[in-house]
Amino acid sequence: MNIGTGCGPGAMKGPMKGATIGHAKQRTLPGRYVGITEPGIIAAESPNPIVNQLVILPDIEKRLEAFVRLGHGIVVFPGGAGTAEEILFLLGVLLNPANRDMPFPLIFTGPASSADYFEEIDQFVRYALGDEAAARYKIIIDDPEAVAVEMKKGLKAVRDYRVETKDAFYFNWQLQIDPQFQKPFDPTHEAVAAMPVARDLPRHELAANLRRVFSAIVSGNVKSDGIRRIREHGPFEIRGEADLMDKLDRLLDRFVRQDRMKLPGGKPYEPCYRVVR
């Protein structure tokens, strides 16, 4: 298998390292280890040394699209607000009615310590986007062999589908991605406050807006423009349906208590957002 990740350290390096050893034992050399990134990320952390093909997209939206266009299946490891943003992007694309019948294996996994993280994500997704969204992924905790078996089975379904529909193996041309998932989102205070977040929206549109909310939080936490805006204008105000805001506030609070919103230097986390009901 070729491996594509966000090309940084940790869980983005691990799959490439494991594949390097597996490819060497199987004499399938050279392996292809694709790093997919964008300028804001590449400026903060260099690619890990195993990457041998680096792709730098112009913005985060194009980077996320590249993952679903290139990947036959995706494994998500525990993270923080940025990982939640990526999950919502994936689900928003897969919830598009045009993509309903397309096989696309999506697995959330990690060690036993990550169970709470994915449990919170799962509860939030089911409440906000419904069981239809939850049906698009599987959660497998602390069982890497089961993840491998499930992904292998999913990749066969993808290959059979591509053969049947005469689609390319190297790029998912048939996947329909709405412009709202492709256009860059500039997380200004005005844009975040005006974002409609309510469950009466079509599911893929709500997923797109929630993805933008998490994008704003990531920007306010770690990106220079976002940090400057927070310093000048105070926290972003996230507005929406009261019950949904309660669930969002709970999710973000759990991220904070699990130390998933850490800032550089180990400083105590001061939220860059305020949830308004």
Side-chain angles (χ1 to χ4, degrees):
M1 296 180 190
N2 298 320
I3 305 297
T5 76
C7 83
M12 291 180 281
K13 180 181 177 182
M16 293 180 172
K17 185 175 181 180
T20 300
I21 297 169
H23 287 158
K25 289 183 175 180
Q26 297 164 8
R27 308 292 198 274
T28 54
L29 301 173
R32 180 179 295 166
Y33 311 113
V34 184
I36 304 171
T37 187
E38 54 94 20
I41 295 175
I42 205 75
E45 57 184 24
S46 59
N48 71 67
I50 303 176
V51 172
N52 58 20
Q53 294 188 4
L54 180 65
V55 183
I56 304 176
L57 284 303
D59 51 60
I60 190 68
E61 285 79 9
K62 307 303 184 300
R63 174 178 180 256
L64 294 175
E65 180 174 350
F67 281 118
V68 294
R69 293 288 190 190
L70 295 180
H72 288 195
I74 290 182
V75 177
V76 179
F77 292 97
T83 302
E85 175 188 0
E86 293 163 352
I87 288 172
L88 288 164
F89 182 96
L90 283 165
L91 294 178
V93 170
L94 296 176
L95 285 171
N96 187 319
N99 302 324
R100 181 176 291 114
D101 298 326
M102 182 178 294
F104 196 97
L106 175 58
I107 300 175
F108 302 165
T109 191
S113 58
S114 66
D116 285 349
Y117 176 78
F118 285 122
E119 180 182 350
E120 290 292 331
I121 291 281
D122 182 57
Q123 289 179 6
F124 180 76
V125 166
R126 289 180 185 276
Y127 183 81
L129 303 176
D131 291 340
E132 180 186 356
R136 296 302 312 232
Y137 59 79
K138 293 188 177 181
I139 300 176
I140 304 174
I141 300 298
D142 202 28
D143 193 344
E145 290 83 3
V147 173
V149 169
E150 188 66 31
M151 183 55 67
K152 181 85 171 180
K153 183 170 65 175
L155 295 183
K156 182 181 184 304
V158 171
R159 182 177 179 82
D160 291 347
Y161 182 83
R162 299 279 180 99
V163 170
E164 181 182 346
T165 59
K166 298 180 173 57
D167 198 10
F169 293 124
Y170 58 86
F171 193 86
N172 193 342
W173 294 101
Q174 295 191 51
L175 193 70
Q176 297 297 310
I177 301 181
D178 286 351
Q180 61 188 329
F181 289 97
Q182 297 175 317
K183 293 179 180 177
F185 173 64
D186 184 19
T188 65
H189 283 70
E190 295 77 14
V192 174
M195 188 74 63
V197 182
R199 288 181 298 158
D200 57 0
L201 292 169
R203 290 292 182 254
H204 63 290
E205 291 184 18
L206 176 55
N209 290 346
L210 286 169
R211 197 283 300 179
R212 293 185 181 113
V213 166
F214 279 95
S215 184
I217 293 171
V218 172
S219 176
N221 281 348
V222 299
K223 295 188 177 180
S224 57
D225 284 348
I227 293 172
R228 175 182 53 79
R229 285 168 172 164
I230 298 302
R231 187 182 300 120
E232 292 176 357
H233 306 292
F236 293 121
E237 289 192 350
I238 305 170
R239 302 174 180 272
E241 176 187 319
D243 289 345
L244 184 53
M245 291 299 98
D246 286 340
K247 294 292 191 293
L248 176 63
D249 202 16
R250 171 187 164 86
L251 178 65
L252 293 170
D253 181 64
R254 289 296 292 271
F255 286 178
V256 173
R257 287 192 281 124
Q258 293 172 6
D259 289 332
R260 297 188 180 278
M261 303 277 257
K262 286 182 178 178
L263 296 179
K267 300 176 183 177
Y269 181 68
E270 184 175 340
C272 65
Y273 61 89
R274 182 167 58 247
V275 177
V276 180
R277 294 159 179 81

Short mmCIF file of all heavy atoms in Angstrom, two decimals, residues 73-77 104-110 118 136-141 146-152 154:
data_model
loop_
_atom_site.label_atom_id
_atom_site.label_comp_id
_atom_site.label_asym_id
_atom_site.label_seq_id
_atom_site.Cartn_x
_atom_site.Cartn_y
_atom_site.Cartn_z
N GLY A 73 -8.95 4.91 1.36
CA GLY A 73 -9.52 4.75 2.69
C GLY A 73 -8.73 5.61 3.66
O GLY A 73 -7.57 5.95 3.40
N ILE A 74 -9.34 5.98 4.78
CA ILE A 74 -8.69 6.89 5.71
C ILE A 74 -8.81 6.35 7.14
O ILE A 74 -9.88 5.91 7.57
CB ILE A 74 -9.30 8.31 5.62
CG1 ILE A 74 -8.89 8.93 4.28
CG2 ILE A 74 -8.85 9.18 6.79
CD1 ILE A 74 -9.39 10.35 4.08
N VAL A 75 -7.68 6.39 7.85
CA VAL A 75 -7.63 6.05 9.27
C VAL A 75 -7.38 7.34 10.04
O VAL A 75 -6.45 8.09 9.71
CB VAL A 75 -6.51 5.04 9.55
CG1 VAL A 75 -6.43 4.75 11.05
CG2 VAL A 75 -6.74 3.75 8.78
N VAL A 76 -8.21 7.62 11.03
CA VAL A 76 -8.09 8.84 11.83
C VAL A 76 -7.59 8.48 13.23
O VAL A 76 -8.18 7.62 13.89
CB VAL A 76 -9.44 9.58 11.94
CG1 VAL A 76 -9.30 10.83 12.81
CG2 VAL A 76 -9.96 9.94 10.56
N PHE A 77 -6.50 9.12 13.65
CA PHE A 77 -5.97 8.93 14.99
C PHE A 77 -6.41 10.10 15.87
O PHE A 77 -6.76 11.17 15.38
CB PHE A 77 -4.45 8.83 14.94
CG PHE A 77 -3.95 7.58 14.26
CD1 PHE A 77 -3.57 7.60 12.93
CD2 PHE A 77 -3.89 6.38 14.94
CE1 PHE A 77 -3.14 6.45 12.28
CE2 PHE A 77 -3.45 5.23 14.31
CZ PHE A 77 -3.07 5.26 12.98
N PHE A 104 -16.18 4.04 0.87
CA PHE A 104 -15.04 4.84 1.32
C PHE A 104 -14.76 4.49 2.78
O PHE A 104 -15.35 5.07 3.69
CB PHE A 104 -15.34 6.34 1.19
CG PHE A 104 -14.10 7.21 1.25
CD1 PHE A 104 -13.49 7.65 0.09
CD2 PHE A 104 -13.55 7.56 2.46
CE1 PHE A 104 -12.35 8.43 0.13
CE2 PHE A 104 -12.41 8.34 2.52
CZ PHE A 104 -11.80 8.78 1.36
N PRO A 105 -13.89 3.50 3.03
CA PRO A 105 -13.64 3.06 4.41
C PRO A 105 -13.02 4.18 5.25
O PRO A 105 -12.04 4.81 4.86
CB PRO A 105 -12.67 1.89 4.25
CG PRO A 105 -12.08 2.04 2.88
CD PRO A 105 -13.11 2.72 2.04
N LEU A 106 -13.62 4.41 6.40
CA LEU A 106 -13.19 5.46 7.32
C LEU A 106 -13.19 4.87 8.73
O LEU A 106 -14.24 4.44 9.22
CB LEU A 106 -14.14 6.66 7.23
CG LEU A 106 -13.93 7.82 8.19
CD1 LEU A 106 -12.54 8.41 8.06
CD2 LEU A 106 -15.00 8.90 7.97
N ILE A 107 -12.02 4.81 9.35
CA ILE A 107 -11.87 4.18 10.66
C ILE A 107 -11.24 5.15 11.64
O ILE A 107 -10.23 5.79 11.34
CB ILE A 107 -11.01 2.90 10.55
CG1 ILE A 107 -11.66 1.89 9.60
CG2 ILE A 107 -10.80 2.28 11.93
CD1 ILE A 107 -10.82 0.65 9.35
N PHE A 108 -11.86 5.27 12.82
CA PHE A 108 -11.29 6.05 13.92
C PHE A 108 -10.63 5.06 14.88
O PHE A 108 -11.28 4.12 15.35
CB PHE A 108 -12.37 6.82 14.68
CG PHE A 108 -13.17 7.78 13.84
CD1 PHE A 108 -14.35 8.31 14.32
CD2 PHE A 108 -12.76 8.16 12.57
CE1 PHE A 108 -15.10 9.20 13.57
CE2 PHE A 108 -13.51 9.05 11.80
CZ PHE A 108 -14.68 9.57 12.30
N THR A 109 -9.37 5.28 15.20
CA THR A 109 -8.68 4.31 16.04
C THR A 109 -7.59 4.98 16.86
O THR A 109 -7.22 6.13 16.63
CB THR A 109 -8.07 3.18 15.18
OG1 THR A 109 -7.63 2.12 16.04
CG2 THR A 109 -6.87 3.68 14.37
N GLY A 110 -7.06 4.23 17.82
CA GLY A 110 -5.99 4.70 18.67
C GLY A 110 -5.86 3.78 19.86
O GLY A 110 -6.56 2.76 19.96
N PHE A 118 -12.87 9.64 21.10
CA PHE A 118 -13.74 9.21 20.01
C PHE A 118 -15.18 9.01 20.47
O PHE A 118 -16.11 9.17 19.69
CB PHE A 118 -13.18 7.94 19.35
CG PHE A 118 -11.99 8.21 18.48
CD1 PHE A 118 -10.79 7.58 18.71
CD2 PHE A 118 -12.07 9.12 17.44
CE1 PHE A 118 -9.68 7.83 17.91
CE2 PHE A 118 -10.97 9.39 16.63
CZ PHE A 118 -9.77 8.74 16.87
N ARG A 136 -21.07 6.11 8.41
CA ARG A 136 -19.98 6.22 7.43
C ARG A 136 -18.61 5.92 8.04
O ARG A 136 -17.61 5.91 7.33
CB ARG A 136 -19.95 7.62 6.81
CG ARG A 136 -21.16 8.01 5.99
CD ARG A 136 -21.48 7.09 4.83
NE ARG A 136 -20.38 6.76 3.98
CZ ARG A 136 -20.39 6.90 2.64
NH1 ARG A 136 -21.45 7.39 2.04
NH2 ARG A 136 -19.36 6.55 1.91
N TYR A 137 -18.54 5.67 9.36
CA TYR A 137 -17.24 5.36 9.96
C TYR A 137 -17.39 4.22 10.96
O TYR A 137 -18.49 3.88 11.41
CB TYR A 137 -16.64 6.59 10.66
CG TYR A 137 -17.48 7.20 11.75
CD1 TYR A 137 -17.53 6.66 13.04
CD2 TYR A 137 -18.24 8.35 11.51
CE1 TYR A 137 -18.32 7.23 14.03
CE2 TYR A 137 -19.01 8.93 12.50
CZ TYR A 137 -19.04 8.36 13.75
OH TYR A 137 -19.82 8.92 14.75
N LYS A 138 -16.25 3.63 11.31
CA LYS A 138 -16.19 2.61 12.36
C LYS A 138 -15.14 3.04 13.38
O LYS A 138 -14.11 3.61 13.02
CB LYS A 138 -15.83 1.24 11.78
CG LYS A 138 -16.92 0.66 10.87
CD LYS A 138 -16.63 -0.76 10.46
CE LYS A 138 -17.77 -1.33 9.62
NZ LYS A 138 -17.53 -2.74 9.22
N ILE A 139 -15.43 2.78 14.65
CA ILE A 139 -14.49 3.08 15.72
C ILE A 139 -13.92 1.76 16.23
O ILE A 139 -14.67 0.88 16.67
CB ILE A 139 -15.18 3.84 16.87
CG1 ILE A 139 -15.77 5.16 16.35
CG2 ILE A 139 -14.19 4.10 18.00
CD1 ILE A 139 -16.55 5.92 17.41
N ILE A 140 -12.60 1.60 16.14
CA ILE A 140 -11.92 0.39 16.62
C ILE A 140 -10.79 0.85 17.52
O ILE A 140 -9.82 1.45 17.07
CB ILE A 140 -11.36 -0.44 15.44
CG1 ILE A 140 -12.48 -0.81 14.45
CG2 ILE A 140 -10.66 -1.68 15.96
CD1 ILE A 140 -11.99 -1.52 13.20
N ILE A 141 -10.91 0.58 18.82
CA ILE A 141 -9.95 1.07 19.81
C ILE A 141 -9.02 -0.04 20.25
O ILE A 141 -9.46 -1.16 20.55
CB ILE A 141 -10.70 1.66 21.03
CG1 ILE A 141 -11.59 2.83 20.60
CG2 ILE A 141 -9.71 2.12 22.10
CD1 ILE A 141 -10.86 4.01 20.00
N ALA A 146 -7.29 -5.52 13.95
CA ALA A 146 -8.67 -5.39 13.46
C ALA A 146 -8.80 -4.20 12.51
O ALA A 146 -9.55 -4.27 11.52
CB ALA A 146 -9.63 -5.23 14.64
N VAL A 147 -8.07 -3.13 12.78
CA VAL A 147 -8.09 -1.98 11.87
C VAL A 147 -7.55 -2.39 10.51
O VAL A 147 -8.12 -2.05 9.46
CB VAL A 147 -7.25 -0.82 12.45
CG1 VAL A 147 -7.13 0.31 11.44
CG2 VAL A 147 -7.87 -0.30 13.74
N ALA A 148 -6.43 -3.12 10.50
CA ALA A 148 -5.82 -3.55 9.24
C ALA A 148 -6.77 -4.44 8.44
O ALA A 148 -6.93 -4.28 7.22
CB ALA A 148 -4.51 -4.27 9.52
N VAL A 149 -7.40 -5.39 9.13
CA VAL A 149 -8.33 -6.32 8.45
C VAL A 149 -9.51 -5.55 7.87
O VAL A 149 -9.92 -5.76 6.72
CB VAL A 149 -8.80 -7.41 9.43
CG1 VAL A 149 -9.95 -8.21 8.82
CG2 VAL A 149 -7.65 -8.33 9.80
N GLU A 150 -10.07 -4.64 8.65
CA GLU A 150 -11.23 -3.86 8.20
C GLU A 150 -10.87 -2.96 7.02
O GLU A 150 -11.63 -2.84 6.06
CB GLU A 150 -11.78 -3.03 9.36
CG GLU A 150 -13.10 -2.33 9.06
CD GLU A 150 -14.25 -3.31 8.86
OE1 GLU A 150 -14.23 -4.39 9.48
OE2 GLU A 150 -15.17 -2.98 8.07
N MET A 151 -9.70 -2.33 7.10
CA MET A 151 -9.29 -1.45 6.01
C MET A 151 -9.00 -2.25 4.74
O MET A 151 -9.35 -1.83 3.63
CB MET A 151 -8.06 -0.64 6.42
CG MET A 151 -7.60 0.38 5.38
SD MET A 151 -8.87 1.55 4.84
CE MET A 151 -9.15 2.49 6.35
N LYS A 152 -8.37 -3.40 4.88
CA LYS A 152 -8.09 -4.25 3.72
C LYS A 152 -9.39 -4.63 3.02
O LYS A 152 -9.50 -4.60 1.79
CB LYS A 152 -7.35 -5.50 4.19
CG LYS A 152 -6.97 -6.46 3.08
CD LYS A 152 -5.66 -6.09 2.43
CE LYS A 152 -5.18 -7.16 1.47
NZ LYS A 152 -3.91 -6.80 0.83
N GLY A 154 -12.21 -2.95 3.17
CA GLY A 154 -12.76 -1.74 2.58
C GLY A 154 -12.06 -1.36 1.28
O GLY A 154 -12.71 -0.91 0.33
#
